[in-house]
C-alpha cells in the first residue's frame, strides 16, 4: 500500500493519509500563514507540535490550540487557520 500525500496552498500545507483500526486520518504540517479549509466529514484536529489559531464556524473570536489540544469541526463547514510557527497536526475523520 502506498501512502497518499496531499498538498495544499502551493505546498505550504502537506498531509499524509492513513487508515487503521482507529479509522481514517491524516498527519500533516502547516507552514506559517493564513488558511481557510472546508470539511466534508466531521474532523477532530489535534496539534502535535506547535500551535494553531482557529476561527471555528459560527464564532467571531479566534482561539489558539497548543500541542496536545484538539478542536472539532463538523461536516460541510469552513474554518480559518492562522499559523505563526511551523506546526504538525493529526486530523481524524468521522
Amino acid at each position: 500500500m502506498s501512502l497518499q500525500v496531499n498538498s495544499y496552498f502551493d505546498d505550504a500545507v502537506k498531509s499524509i493519509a492513513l487508515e487503521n483500526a482507529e479509522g481514517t486520518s491524516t498527519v500533516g504540517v502547516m507552514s506559517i500563514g493564513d488558511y481557510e479549509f472546508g470539511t466534508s466529514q466531521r474532523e477532530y484536529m489535534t496539534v502535535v507540535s506547535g500551535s494553531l489559531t482557529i476561527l471555528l464556524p459560527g464564532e467571531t473570536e479566534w482561539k489558539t490550540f497548543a500541542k496536545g489540544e484538539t478542536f472539532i469541526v463538523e461536516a460541510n463547514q469552513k474554518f480559518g487557520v492562522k499559523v505563526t510557527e511551523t506546526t504538525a497536526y493529526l486530523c481524524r475523520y468521522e
Side-chain angles (χ1 to χ4, degrees), residues 35-76:
Y35 310 102
E36 183 179 73
F37 291 95
T39 62
S40 57
Q41 300 172 270
R42 178 183 292 139
E43 297 185 8
Y44 294 79
M45 293 274 296
T46 303
V47 177
V48 174
S49 177
S51 66
L52 298 174
T53 301
I54 306 299
L55 183 62
L56 291 168
E59 298 290 328
T60 56
E61 291 192 18
W62 293 79
K63 182 176 179 191
T64 299
F65 294 83
K67 177 180 177 179
E69 294 184 321
T70 301
F71 61 93
I72 301 169
V73 182
E74 295 298 330
N76 305 309

Side-chain angles (χ1 to χ4, degrees), residues 78-93:
K78 290 187 176 179
F79 63 102
V81 180
K82 292 182 181 179
V83 184
T84 57
E85 63 177 329
T86 302
T87 296
Y89 66 89
L90 168 67
C91 182
R92 188 169 59 82
Y93 301 92

